[in-house]
Amino acid sequence: MIRAATENDVTGIRAMIRELAAYERAVEQARATEAQLREALFGPHPAAYALVAEDDTTGELAGYALWFPSFSTWTGTRGMHLEDLYVRPHARGGGHGRALLAALAALCLDSGFERFEWWVLDWNEPAVGFYRSLGAEFLDEWRICRLTGAPLKQLAAAS
């Protein structure tokens, strides 16, 4: 079953974020606390939204998708950026990932969003293959740019 996350899911979502970070070989970077996630997802001005996949038999969380709105100056419309899609290893192959993505795609269309975008690590062949099977377009000519830490502070100091 796919449903909107509730505040009661924050502990499970945080645990899955850490599991995803471990899989992506970056667990030390997953520093979000439950309090931060609760504020980001359920505070007065949500920064992001989440869906969860529950195991039909046990009711346990099998996966989650966390997204936030984006905006395109070219189309003049909002879009959806999928930050995380994760299905626990024991639940993979059960259709949870596809169901989460289908629910997000429907939400995009219902909301008038024209784009549904996400990133995938180039070495994550199972995910790349899965996304290709859905018809996802890979934008190889675009590169992700990121400033953090000292470079971010140095640039900000120049203002």
Side-chain angles (χ1 to χ4, degrees):
M1 177 176 79
I2 306 301
R3 62 173 176 77
T6 68
E7 284 193 64
N8 292 334
D9 296 315
V10 169
T11 298
I13 291 170
R14 182 175 183 273
M16 289 187 287
I17 288 170
R18 305 264 314 151
E19 292 169 23
L20 174 60
Y23 176 76
E24 292 184 353
R25 307 171 191 155
V27 73
E28 69 284 349
Q29 295 176 38
R31 299 184 320 260
T33 65
E34 286 186 29
Q36 288 173 313
L37 292 171
R38 190 169 285 106
E39 178 68 20
L41 296 172
F42 304 105
H45 303 287
Y49 305 90
L51 298 179
V52 294
E54 285 184 341
D55 182 282
D56 291 333
T57 306
T58 66
E60 294 178 1
L61 294 183
Y64 77 102
L66 193 143
W67 68 277
F68 55 86
S70 60
F71 179 78
S72 169
T73 58
W74 288 26
T75 67
T77 61
R78 286 182 171 227
M80 177 181 286
H81 177 82
L82 176 61
E83 179 68 11
D84 289 349
L85 175 68
Y86 179 73
V87 175
R88 289 184 152 147
H90 72 274
R92 291 181 188 154
H96 299 294
R98 181 178 290 275
L100 284 163
L101 287 173
L104 290 172
L107 182 59
C108 275
L109 294 179
D110 291 347
S111 302
F113 297 172
E114 290 191 29
R115 292 181 179 173
F116 180 18
E117 299 174 320
W118 62 92
W119 304 336
V120 61
L121 291 166
D122 60 0
W123 57 260
N124 190 347
E125 287 301 322
V128 169
F130 173 58
Y131 298 144
R132 283 192 198 284
S133 77
L134 298 174
E137 176 184 2
F138 285 76
L139 305 176
D140 295 329
E141 67 275 12
W142 289 90
R143 304 292 296 209
I144 299 166
C145 300
R146 178 181 294 161
L147 280 175
T148 62
L152 176 62
K153 291 175 184 172
Q154 287 173 329
L155 184 59
S159 68

